[in-house]
């Protein structure tokens, strides 16, 4: 009886394995949906369409982007979390959707760790800490040390801008303030572009700006003090990282990556991971992705570890600064 049971279990397992392998071999046999939680034309949408086009050409079926904008990416993420784990629904999202929403929002209806299988990041975009050299109040601030000294000289008087409460630029500045032991005033704008206008108009004294700041830095309209990533930005090779400026371990970047529902068969996950990585490393594709950041790909295991580390660190920043979502 026990021998028969073991034999039946073995046969069932073998059948399941053969079914999964057969599924992967003919995958995809119909169009694949890439769900994006942000509007068309934004960084996540652009990356999703570039990679989707390449996957479609390589795998022989369309990878169709569907925009479900709203709630900081949560609408699309919830849709993918509840989708069938058959390989035909993919999530393209930014770091906030995965690492921040769980901390900031009480009504989140998906669990980034339990509901998703990470494939890889595709691009990472560090933030650039900038001041306005034409502003008399920041004309002499040329380094992070200068900024910290100015803040210490006038506690609570230095105002900085960001794209809104809970925005990654907001958290980056709060993390710097916590590490440097300084008090700052946060001025939330409606988006990163608006905060950039704010510093140019001398409404605020400093901003962790997205990569849109690079042309303004090169034109002398803004002065870059540091970049938020662990490595220097190739477009600004002479600008140090915040870590190099005296705050080891500082590493915050806006990244865009891909996920599948957690129970998606492993062979399909492997196929998609490999094809996305191959696509991102292709010079022609990498050139297109360059407008959105630095090409950055990870193994699923390293991606999961990165998410866990960032989620913990950002949750600590949110708690220490008592940041509330708008």
């Amino acid at each position: 009886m026990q021998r028969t049971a073991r034999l039946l279990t073995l046969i069932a397992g073998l059948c399941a394995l053969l079914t999964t392998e057969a599924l992967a071999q003919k995958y995809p046999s119909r169009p694949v949906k890439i769900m994006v939680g942000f509007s068309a034309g934004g960084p996540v949408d652009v990356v999703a369409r570039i990679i989707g086009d390449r996957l479609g050409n390589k795998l022989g079926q369309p990878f169709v982007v569907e925009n479900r904008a709203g709630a900081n990416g949560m609408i699309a993420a919830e849709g993918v979390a509840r989708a069938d784990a058959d390989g035909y629904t993919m999530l393209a999202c930014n770091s906030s959707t995965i690492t921040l929403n769980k901390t900031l929002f009480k009504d989140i209806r998906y669990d980034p760790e339990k509901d998703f299988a990470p494939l890889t990041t595709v691009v990472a975009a560090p933030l650039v800490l900038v001041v306005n050299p034409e502003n008399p109040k920041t004309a002499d601030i040329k380094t992070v040390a200068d900024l910290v000294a100015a803040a210490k000289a006038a506690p609570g008087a230095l105002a900085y801008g960001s794209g809104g409460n809970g925005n990654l630029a907001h958290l980056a500045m709060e993390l710097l303030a916590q590490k440097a032991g300084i008090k700052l005033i946060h001025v939330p704008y409606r988006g990163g572009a608006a905060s950039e206008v704010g510093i140019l108009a001398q409404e605020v004294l400093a901003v962790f700006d997205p990569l849109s700041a690079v042309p303004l830095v090169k034109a002398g309209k803004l002065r870059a003090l540091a970049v938020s990533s662990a490595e220097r930005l190739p477009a600004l090779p002479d600008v140090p990282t915040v870590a190099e400026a005296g705050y080891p371990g500082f590493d915050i970047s806006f990244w865009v990556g891909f996920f599948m529902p957690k129970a998606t068969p492993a062979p399909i996950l492997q196929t998609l991971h490999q094809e996305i990585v191959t696509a991102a490393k292709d010079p022609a594709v990498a050139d297109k992705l360059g407008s959105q950041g630095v090409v950055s790909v990870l193994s699923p295991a390293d991606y999961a570890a990165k998410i866990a580390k960032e989620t913990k660190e950002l949750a600590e920043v949110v708690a220490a600064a008592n940041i509330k979502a708008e």
Side-chain angles (χ1 to χ4, degrees), residues 44-266:
V44 179
D45 178 77
V46 170
V47 171
R49 292 179 188 277
I50 292 171
I51 295 297
D53 285 346
R54 174 60 181 259
L55 292 177
N57 291 335
K58 186 69 184 294
L59 296 176
Q61 288 289 342
F63 279 68
V64 183
V65 171
E66 179 178 312
N67 298 91
R68 291 194 187 179
N72 202 31
M74 289 194 289
I75 295 174
E78 183 182 354
V80 175
R82 303 292 174 260
D84 291 337
D86 55 6
Y88 290 91
T89 306
M90 178 187 294
L91 175 67
C93 68
N94 63 18
S95 48
S96 295
T97 303
I98 300 298
T99 61
L100 270 178
N101 285 355
K102 187 175 180 179
T103 298
L104 288 174
F105 299 97
K106 295 181 179 179
D107 60 345
I108 186 170
R109 293 186 291 273
Y110 63 90
D111 186 304
E113 180 181 359
K114 295 178 180 178
D115 291 336
F116 301 125
L119 293 174
T120 181
T121 53
V122 174
V123 296
L127 301 168
V128 185
L129 178 58
V130 296
V131 295
N132 186 342
E134 297 179 0
N135 187 334
K137 295 180 179 179
T138 54
D140 295 329
I141 294 179
K142 298 180 179 180
T143 65
V144 174
D146 291 340
L147 183 68
V148 171
K152 288 184 175 180
L158 195 154
Y160 73 92
S162 84
N165 284 325
N167 180 277
L168 198 61
H170 178 196
L171 269 67
M173 193 68 84
E174 287 298 330
L175 177 59
L176 176 60
Q178 290 169 20
K179 285 182 174 292
I182 55 178
K183 292 286 187 180
L184 305 172
I185 297 174
H186 178 223
V187 180
Y189 288 85
R190 292 189 176 276
S195 69
E196 192 171 86
V197 172
I199 193 169
L200 290 170
Q202 302 184 16
E203 296 171 350
V204 292
L205 301 185
V207 169
F208 261 112
D209 226 353
L211 291 184
S212 59
V214 172
L216 294 170
V217 170
K218 291 184 175 181
K221 299 294 184 182
L222 293 175
R223 177 184 294 139
L225 307 183
V227 295
S228 66
S229 53
E231 298 180 353
R232 293 194 180 194
L233 183 64
L236 299 172
D238 297 328
V239 178
T241 66
V242 175
E244 290 174 328
Y247 301 96
F250 194 105
D251 182 13
I252 291 182
S253 290
F254 175 96
W255 49 257
V256 177
F258 290 85
F259 297 81
M260 300 296 288
K262 189 75 169 183
T264 302

Side-chain angles (χ1 to χ4, degrees), residues 3-19:
R3 182 179 299 177
T4 301
R6 287 197 296 269
L7 181 59
L8 289 174
T9 300
L10 178 62
I11 292 173
L14 181 60
C15 288
L17 177 62
L18 292 174
T19 300

